[in-house]
Amino acid sequence: MSSASEMQKTRVIQELRAFIKKLLQEPGILENSLSIAKRHSDGSNDAKAWATIANEISDTTSVHIPEDPAEHSEADRLFLEVLREVVGEEKALY
């Protein structure tokens, strides 16, 4: 494995660790984020809906997700992806 690849993995792991730490310190972020995602999405991959979700999460929690998806970090993308899966699975149950 190349040094650049190792550095990238280390950076992603550190970013995810910091994000998980924030979620553990402020557990309300998860509940609020899930509520926002449920209001604006059916679990599909509608880019406009997910931009709205990311913006509202940024506006109402201490989690900052850039408005432009091209600027999303690995942690941002993973968090939004998992939210999308959870909302989609919930909607499929009903």
Side-chain angles (χ1 to χ4, degrees):
M1 190 176 295
S2 72
S3 179
S5 179
E6 291 276 335
M7 288 173 47
Q8 174 70 7
K9 276 187 175 181
T10 300
R11 185 188 62 73
V12 169
I13 289 169
Q14 290 304 319
E15 186 177 304
L16 288 171
R17 285 177 50 87
F19 188 73
I20 291 167
K21 186 176 177 181
K22 182 179 280 195
L23 294 177
L24 290 171
Q25 291 171 334
E26 300 177 49
I29 291 171
L30 292 174
E31 183 178 343
N32 192 20
S33 298
L34 192 53
S35 174
I36 292 165
K38 287 177 184 177
R39 272 198 319 274
H40 296 290
S41 177
D42 59 1
S44 67
N45 200 15
D46 176 17
K48 189 173 182 178
W50 285 96
T52 299
I53 292 164
N55 289 336
E56 191 170 334
I57 289 171
S58 292
D59 291 345
T60 59
T61 71
S62 63
V63 173
H64 175 70
I65 302 173
E67 191 169 331
D68 181 358
E71 296 177 14
H72 289 177
S73 69
E74 291 293 326
D76 296 333
R77 281 189 284 278
L78 183 59
F79 181 60
L80 292 172
E81 181 181 307
V82 171
L83 272 176
R84 185 171 31 253
E85 287 175 17
V86 169
V87 171
E89 288 170 2
E90 246 182 49
K91 301 275 181 173
L93 291 175
Y94 299 106

